[in-house]
Amino acid sequence: MKRTINFIGILFTLLVFICCETPTTKETKKIDEQKFSLENYLTKDGYVRLEMKKIPSGHLHLFGQLNGVNGNFILDTGAGATVIEEKNKEKFHLQTEKSDKQATGAGGTGMQMQTSDKNNLKIEKFELNELNLMLMNLDHVNNAFESMGLEKIDGVIGADILTNNKAIIDYSNLILYLKK
């Protein structure tokens, strides 16, 4: 009787091990496919994935085209508006008007601004048409960048674009998601 109980115990233990074995390669692949992917989720929801680069100043950098002309831009979530260096007015074919608005920020206060309407900004596959922009002197930014041995920027992508296009920043992977 004792042998029968031991034998049944051994069979039960084997049955448990067999039922609880590790998943096969097919099963593991299926489990991996079920893992959440931010990129898949957002692109299915209409977001466009844009790669950024972190430059030595700590800023996030984007290459883009403004009115068909290549430009260097940094992303600034604290900038209320997208701002272009006023010295690049001709470079980007910007039609401007004086503005009674004055900028306040890291560069100081009371900086005079200009506006430019109906512009086209393209960053990789993401395009904005009829975009209104602000222009101002960005010497304070470019002088700081030059002193660090960095290339000058043409402008700052601000919270207006980020908010209007429901931006999601995947900082650890340096990806910006924007929705049209």
Side-chain angles (χ1 to χ4, degrees):
M1 179 73 156
K2 198 173 186 180
R3 280 185 165 179
T4 306
I5 293 174
N6 284 341
F7 181 70
I8 292 173
I10 292 171
L11 279 176
F12 179 74
T13 304
L14 284 173
L15 183 62
V16 168
F17 281 125
I18 291 170
C19 291
C20 297
E21 72 178 304
T22 57
T24 63
T25 305
K26 260 187 186 178
E27 291 168 334
T28 303
K29 186 175 181 184
K30 188 175 182 179
I31 290 168
D32 286 343
E33 288 172 357
Q34 292 174 349
K35 288 182 182 175
F36 177 78
S37 164
L38 179 64
E39 182 174 345
N40 289 342
Y41 178 80
L42 292 175
T43 53
K44 284 180 186 173
D45 194 32
Y47 280 84
V48 176
R49 176 186 191 272
L50 306 171
E51 292 187 20
M52 299 182 293
K53 177 175 80 169
K54 190 171 183 179
I55 58 177
S57 65
H59 291 90
L60 298 176
H61 181 268
L62 295 157
F63 287 106
Q65 291 182 331
L66 179 57
N67 298 328
V69 179
N70 291 337
N72 293 310
F73 303 94
I74 58 171
L75 184 71
D76 185 349
T77 60
T82 296
V83 178
I84 304 301
E85 164 59 69
E86 67 184 4
K87 293 175 186 160
N88 293 337
K89 181 174 152 176
E90 286 80 28
K91 173 182 176 178
F92 292 117
H93 316 291
L94 300 171
Q95 302 299 314
T96 62
E97 292 181 19
K98 286 189 179 185
S99 172
D100 26 340
K101 293 182 183 180
Q102 291 188 343
T104 301
T109 60
M111 295 178 279
Q112 192 58 48
M113 300 184 76
Q114 299 175 53
T115 61
S116 179
D117 298 335
K118 299 181 181 179
N119 295 286
N120 178 285
L121 177 66
K122 185 175 182 184
I123 304 170
E124 294 180 38
K125 296 173 270 182
F126 188 79
E127 193 166 352
L128 292 170
N129 298 304
E130 302 292 315
L131 182 62
N132 299 330
L133 300 168
M134 302 301 292
L135 284 84
M136 65 180 268
N137 185 301
L138 294 178
D139 281 349
H140 60 286
V141 176
N142 282 321
N143 289 340
F145 277 20
E146 275 190 316
S147 73
M148 297 173 71
L150 300 174
E151 190 174 342
K152 289 182 177 184
I153 61 160
D154 294 307
V156 175
I157 305 296
D160 56 338
I161 289 177
L162 301 176
T163 302
N164 293 339
N165 296 283
K166 301 178 182 176
I168 296 174
I169 299 171
D170 178 354
Y171 201 87
S172 62
N173 293 306
L174 299 176
I175 304 296
L176 170 64
Y177 293 95
L178 295 176
K179 188 172 186 177
K180 190 76 166 144

